[in-house]
Amino acid sequence: MRDSNVNFNFLHRTCTLVVLLCFLHISVTLFYYVRSWDFKQHFVQSHQGQRKLAAEGEGTEEEAKHTTTFPDLLPNATESTKDLQKCPEPSPLLVGPLRIEFSSPVSLELVRKENPALQNGGRFKPKDCIALQKVAIIIPFRNRDEHLKFWLYYLHPILQRQQLDYGVYIINQDGDDTFNRAKLLNVGYAEALKEYDYDCFVFSDVDLIPMDDRNTYKCFSQPRHLSVSMDKFGFRLPYNQYFGGVSSMSKEQFLKINGFPNNYWGWGGEDDDIYNRLSSKGMSISRPSGAIGKCRMIRHERDKQNDPNPQRFDRIAHTRETMHKDGINSLSYKVLKVEKDRLFTKITVHVGKPPN
Ligand code: BGC
C-alpha cells in the first residue's frame, strides 16, 4: 500500500513537471513570435521615418537611396503607398545653385546609370509623396543629339529633386524643310496628353540648362517664363516681353490662347506671338528672380533650315486677329515614329513645309 502511494506521488510530480515544461515552452515561443512582429512593424516605421528625414533634408538623398528595401517585401509596405501625403512645397531636396559646364561630353549610358528611378519614356514620379503637378516637358528637336545628352544629364536629377510627376517628350521634326518650333510644341502638347493626364506643360529649348534647381519646372497661376537670365544675354532679359527659351503653362492657360501659332517657319517671332496671345487674354507673365532664373545655353552654330523668318514682324503685328484660327484648333501633322527610351519619349513627326 505504502509502495503504491510512493509510486503515485512520483508519477504525479513527474506529470506536473512535464505540464509545466510544456507551458514554459509554449510561453517562450509565443513571446518571441509576438516580439518578432513588433520588431518588423518598428522596422517599417523607422525605415519610412528615415526616408522622410532624407526627404525633409535632414538626411541626405544618398542615405535614402542606400537604405535597405526590406519593407518592400512586406505586404503592409505596399499598402502604405495609399497613405502618401502631398509633396511639400518647395521640395526639401533642392540644393540651389548648380555648376553647369559642357566641356566633357556625356553619354546616354551614363545618364541612364545615374538615374535608376526613371521609367520607360523618360517618366518619373516621387516614391514618398504625391507630386503637386503632372508635368509634360516638351522639347522641339532636330539633329541636336549632343545637346540632348547634356539636357538629359542635367535636367533629370533636377526634375527628380523637384519632386515632379513628369515625362520628357522630344518632338523631332522629320526631313530637311524649314524648322517650325511653335508647331512642334503644339504637337508635343497633343501627343503628351494622349499618354497621361498632364496638367502642366513646360516648353524648353534643348540647349538651355537651369543653373539653380529652385527654378521649378512647373506651372503657376500665370504663365511662367523660366529662362529669365541667360548667359547669352548677359544674365538679364533682352526685353521685357521676352518669352523665349523655357516657359510653362497649365492646360487651361494653353487652351485659353488656342495654343501656339503653326505658321512661323524659321527662326524668331513665335515666342513674341505667344506673348501677344497671353497678354491679349489678360494674362501676365510670372518669373523667378534673376538669381534663381539663371541658365546656360550650349553654344552652337545656327541650324541649317532655320534662318531668321523675314515674315515674323508682320505676323507678330497681327496676333490678335490670327490667334483664334491658327493654333491648337488648326493643328495637323503626321506621327512617323515613336521611340521609348528610359530617358525620353521621342516622337518623329511630319509637320509640312511653309507655303510658297
Ligand atoms: C525674336 C525672338 C527671339 C528674341 C531673342 C526676337 O527678335 O523675335 O524670337 O527669341 O529676339 O533672340
Side-chain angles (χ1 to χ4, degrees), residues 137-153:
I137 299 171
I138 317 288
I139 300 180
F141 186 86
R142 188 162 66 181
N143 295 333
R144 296 275 204 98
D145 293 284
E146 287 313 305
H147 295 180
L148 179 60
K149 285 180 207 166
F150 282 120
W151 190 94
L152 297 164
Y153 174 74

Side-chain angles (χ1 to χ4, degrees), residues 232-233 238-239 242-245 267-272 312-313 316:
K232 171 184 167 182
F233 297 128
Y239 49 96
Y242 179 59
F243 199 61
W267 182 90
E270 82 296 339
D271 46 357
D272 304 312
R312 67 188 189 280
F313 304 107
I316 297 163

Side-chain angles (χ1 to χ4, degrees), residues 183 186-192 194 328 330-336 347-352:
K183 187 167 183 180
N186 274 341
V187 172
Y189 168 90
E191 289 299 310
K194 287 181 189 166
I328 198 72
S330 63
L331 176 67
S332 84
Y333 61 96
K334 196 169 165 210
V335 172
L336 302 177
I347 304 177
T348 301
V349 280
H350 180 69
V351 291

Side-chain angles (χ1 to χ4, degrees), residues 123-126 131 133-136 163-167 196 198:
R123 296 287 298 273
F124 172 84
K125 56 167 93 174
Q133 292 187 9
K134 290 175 271 182
V135 185
Q163 296 191 311
L164 301 167
D165 176 357
Y166 73 88
Y196 191 48
Y198 291 107

